[in-house]
Amino acid sequence: MTNDAVVVTRDDQAAVATVRMNRPDRRNALTTELKVALRDALEDVGQDPQIRAVVLSAAGPAFCVGQDLGEHAEALRSGAEEPMRTVPEHYNRITSALATMPKPAIAAIGGTCVGAGLGFALACDLRLAATGVRFATAFSGIGFGGDSGLSATLAHAVGASRATDLLMLGDTFTAESARDWGLVREVVAAEELDDKALALARRLAHGPTAAYAEIKMAIALGTVSPLTTVLEHEGAAQSRLAATEDHRNAVEAFLAKEKPTFTGH
């Protein structure tokens, strides 16, 4: 199956589907078009009994740089009643599709992974990253908290203290640091990433996928804060923050390539 924004390839013999974000010229920034295509593709392969493992990847030099702030700024300028309806309609469903599909999901991170892109990667069960990839949460830089489950998944992966540091300060970190912290399974040469991810997916697809589904469920139940609760909280928080001057001014400053000034309002 091919969509202009997302390309899905199926290896029926191996029972593996690769879902590839396909906006390399925009660094896979999350426009509504891309979000809808990604949501629908992931829900489709997640429910397909013929697919036993899924790889999430991206075309071009960036895995995903998060929300397309140009599109978001237009929504804020228009005075739309609920500019953050994209959280329940798109982000939450994409995250849930990855986290709850009854089969392993692998993120093949070949380039910059920021904001919701990081949230999607952490919603997968396993992650591989290419050498030189840079990561960041990025939300606080525009006066936002996290979304796409990041408030839970990042804390579960690296601990509450480091997650707080990364979410509040927004500093970038390397693929090697991500590996050392347990965020990614392996760091590989860029030219080997796709093959390594596919090999891992094939290995999992040949394994006990019913057991994998139970493992995913048990781990989710064993966390302090269920993902659904965190998603609901994040959605409400983003809606509140979208109405602040800090957020609106920071988005405009980002687009103007200026440093934002935050007032707490």
Side-chain angles (χ1 to χ4, degrees):
M1 180 178 72
T2 300
N3 175 287
D4 190 29
V6 170
V7 176
V8 179
T9 55
R10 296 170 185 256
D11 183 339
D12 292 331
Q13 185 174 0
V16 170
T18 298
V19 178
R20 187 180 300 272
M21 292 177 278
N22 192 39
R23 281 289 182 262
D25 56 321
R26 302 288 294 274
R27 306 181 75 210
N28 296 303
L30 293 162
T31 61
T32 298
E33 178 192 28
L34 179 53
K35 285 180 283 190
V36 169
L38 182 60
R39 177 196 68 194
D40 292 350
L42 289 171
E43 290 181 347
D44 180 56
V45 298
Q47 296 165 6
D48 187 342
Q50 302 304 312
I51 297 299
R52 293 169 57 84
V54 174
V55 175
L56 176 64
S57 66
F63 177 76
C64 177
V65 296
Q67 171 66 39
D68 184 303
L69 288 181
E71 183 179 273
H72 180 59
E74 285 299 317
L76 292 173
R77 294 167 188 156
S78 71
E81 183 176 341
E82 180 47 275
M84 294 311 298
R85 65 179 180 272
T86 189
V87 172
E89 289 180 7
H90 305 124
Y91 291 119
N92 288 2
R93 284 178 61 180
I94 291 168
T95 302
S96 293
L98 289 164
T100 65
M101 63 174 62
K103 62 199 70 175
I106 300 162
I109 307 164
T112 305
C113 184
V114 172
L118 179 57
F120 298 163
L122 289 179
C124 293
D125 303 298
L126 299 171
R127 287 156 292 281
L128 303 179
T131 302
V133 166
R134 307 288 290 185
F135 296 83
T137 58
F139 290 102
S140 64
I142 56 168
F144 254 2
D147 61 30
S148 305
L150 200 58
S151 308
T153 55
L154 187 60
H156 296 155
V158 302
S161 179
R162 178 164 281 148
T164 301
D165 184 296
L166 293 171
L167 281 163
M168 285 190 173
L169 298 179
D171 294 337
T172 61
F173 54 96
T174 65
E176 290 71 24
S177 291
R179 177 197 58 209
D180 294 345
W181 297 340
L183 283 175
V184 302
R185 181 177 189 271
E186 187 178 2
V187 177
V188 303
E191 62 271 18
E192 298 177 356
L193 178 64
D194 288 344
D195 288 343
K196 291 270 192 178
L198 189 56
L200 180 58
R202 287 171 174 163
R203 173 183 170 186
L204 290 164
H206 282 90
T209 51
Y212 296 155
E214 295 293 347
I215 288 168
K216 290 180 71 161
M217 187 180 299
I219 289 174
L221 289 172
T223 57
V224 176
S225 300
L227 179 63
T228 53
T229 300
V230 174
L231 289 171
E232 290 173 2
H233 169 79
E234 287 179 339
Q238 297 293 58
S239 291
R240 292 190 294 269
L241 291 167
T244 65
E245 293 179 7
D246 271 357
H247 171 62
R248 293 170 183 265
N249 292 340
V251 169
E252 298 292 350
F254 177 90
L255 294 173
K257 297 183 178 180
E258 299 174 350
K259 185 175 180 179
T261 299
F262 297 113
T263 65
H265 300 287

